[in-house]
Amino acid sequence: MKICLIKTSSMGDVIHTLPALTDALQAIPNLQIDWVVEEGFAEIPQWHSAVNQVIPIALRRWRKSPFSANTRKEWKTYRTLLEKERYDAVIDAQGLLKSAFFATRLTQGIKYSYDRHSIREPIASFFYDKKYAISYQQHAVERIRQLFALSLNYALPTSQGDYGIAQHFVSTATSPLMEPYVIFFHSTTREDKHWAEQEWRNLIEKMTALSLQIRLPWGNEKEKARAVRLAQGHPNVVVLPRLSLTELAQQIADSQAVVSVDTGLAHLTAALDKQNITLYGATDPKLIGCYGKNQHYLSANSMNNISADQVFECLNLLIDGN
């Protein structure tokens, strides 16, 4: 059975789709999935064994120069790739007008998604052949698992969802000479999700008692500057070079634990089953929090109300338990 999956962005949303693929592969052993995803996240589907082909879409980049020769050429290539196959099912797990118009409508096959009451942009439901009522009052992972089970007609497993990618990143931290480390994901897109730099510095100070290296990733120059500021004066803190998602996933797999603000990389940590403390002061983790094994939340009504003492106490317990 061959299906086309439409889930283009963001990083957390793409990662939340992986457990549904694991369910479907267990129910349909010959399953092959082509996945339409934003080019910046195209590495992620490749880690799952159910994925046959990744079809990158570049709407974020194309809309900056929609009429350029290069955009027209890339769009033609994308359409050709998407239209050449007839699928047994097309599942739009994004549920937006842009995913329906720029991806789902171009595919050949019966199109499945949420009904107009279960979708963020109801107009998108006009592009689907079969539509399902799936409650918003549950985690995003479970909503997508239900959509797949209904679309492909198999019983939804009652067990917790399995991302199915941890085995792709078998730990390489086998040398006794390798210094154990933790990762701090200190950056995110929304300003109100950030944790104060002073609290990060307080946590770094407290970490000296644990004899662990601290690694700080970054994705742009602003994040790099923050990482450099946090590392200043602390020989146990390493600012990592800019990494691909695959390289960063390997760093996570080899770590002792992770501390993160609410960001897509926190969800990547969850997908790899790593010990993870995620700080929630601007968002509610109930529906979109880190889902899976070894996930721990520290929640408050503001990021300013989460202290380094709280994080250190929780992190110390996790590391002692490893």
Side-chain angles (χ1 to χ4, degrees):
M1 183 178 194
K2 193 163 188 177
I3 73 170
C4 183
L5 164 63
I6 317 296
K7 189 68 165 180
T8 60
S9 62
S10 59
M11 185 190 299
D13 292 338
V14 170
I15 290 169
H16 284 160
T17 309
L18 295 169
L21 272 63
T22 304
D23 293 345
L25 186 59
Q26 290 174 345
I28 309 167
N30 67 339
L31 182 70
Q32 290 187 337
I33 297 174
D34 289 353
W35 188 333
V36 180
V37 65
E38 266 287 340
E39 60 180 358
F41 308 123
E43 291 173 75
I44 297 171
Q46 297 172 11
W47 304 335
H48 199 288
S49 59
V51 176
N52 173 64
Q53 179 179 216
V54 177
I55 302 175
I57 187 171
L59 285 179
R60 294 181 178 185
R61 182 166 52 81
W62 291 340
R63 67 188 178 193
K64 295 177 182 177
S65 52
F67 304 111
S68 71
N70 189 59
T71 296
R72 292 198 303 271
K73 179 181 178 182
E74 289 184 356
W75 172 255
K76 183 179 180 180
T77 301
Y78 161 77
R79 284 196 62 157
T80 300
L81 198 59
L82 196 58
E83 294 173 341
K84 72 176 184 178
E85 189 82 37
R86 179 162 190 87
Y87 294 101
D88 297 300
V90 178
I91 301 177
D92 187 340
Q94 194 79 44
L96 296 176
L97 180 59
K98 69 176 184 180
S99 63
F101 186 80
F102 291 108
T104 307
R105 75 177 180 90
L106 301 176
T107 58
Q108 298 186 66
I110 300 174
K111 300 169 176 64
Y112 301 82
S113 192
Y114 307 99
D115 72 9
R116 63 186 305 272
H117 302 292
S118 309
I119 202 169
R120 278 191 288 173
E121 296 182 357
I123 193 171
S125 64
F126 290 104
F127 290 86
Y128 312 134
D129 301 308
K130 295 186 180 294
K131 311 158 196 180
Y132 301 103
I134 299 176
S135 173
Y136 271 114
Q137 300 307 309
Q138 57 185 323
H139 196 281
V141 167
E142 297 300 341
R143 292 190 81 231
I144 301 170
R145 293 179 76 195
Q146 286 185 31
L147 176 61
F148 265 66
L150 290 167
S151 301
L152 302 180
N153 194 30
Y154 60 81
L156 179 68
T158 57
S159 56
Q160 186 180 57
D162 177 2
Y163 293 94
I165 65 169
Q167 62 272 24
H168 189 85
F169 296 96
V170 176
S171 177
T172 59
T174 56
S175 171
L177 299 177
M178 180 177 285
E179 185 174 356
Y181 64 90
V182 296
I183 296 175
F184 289 174
F185 289 126
H186 53 89
S187 295
T188 185
T189 51
R190 273 174 47 183
E191 194 60 38
D192 60 346
K193 291 183 182 181
H194 279 108
W195 198 34
E197 287 189 28
Q198 185 57 54
E199 291 298 333
W200 282 115
R201 284 192 287 269
N202 291 343
L203 180 59
I204 288 169
E205 290 281 358
K206 293 176 180 298
M207 290 292 294
T208 57
L210 299 183
S211 300
L212 285 171
Q213 187 183 86
I214 298 167
R215 298 189 179 182
L216 304 178
W218 53 275
N220 56 45
E221 290 304 314
K222 184 176 180 180
E223 293 176 5
K224 183 180 180 181
R226 180 185 294 111
V228 170
R229 289 194 300 271
L230 293 175
Q232 191 171 8
H234 298 286
N236 63 320
V237 180
V238 175
V239 177
L240 293 172
R242 187 164 192 166
L243 303 173
S244 68
L245 280 176
T246 300
E247 291 168 333
L248 192 50
Q250 191 64 63
Q251 287 277 334
I252 295 169
D254 292 344
S255 70
Q256 299 292 303
V258 174
V259 178
S260 54
V261 292
D262 182 8
T263 178
L265 294 172
H267 297 292
L268 176 55
T269 305
L272 296 171
D273 299 332
K274 293 301 295 188
Q275 296 281 9
N276 182 27
I277 302 168
T278 309
L279 313 183
Y280 292 96
T283 48
D284 183 355
K286 181 180 178 182
L287 302 181
I288 55 169
C290 291
Y291 172 104
K293 304 173 186 175
N294 305 314
Q295 302 308 296
H296 311 272
Y297 302 159
L298 283 178
S299 299
N301 58 7
S302 166
M303 292 296 282
N304 293 331
N305 293 328
I306 300 174
S307 71
D309 287 333
Q310 291 174 283
V311 180
F312 179 72
E313 182 180 355
C314 186
L315 184 58
N316 201 12
L317 289 172
L318 296 184
I319 292 170
D320 283 347
N322 279 351

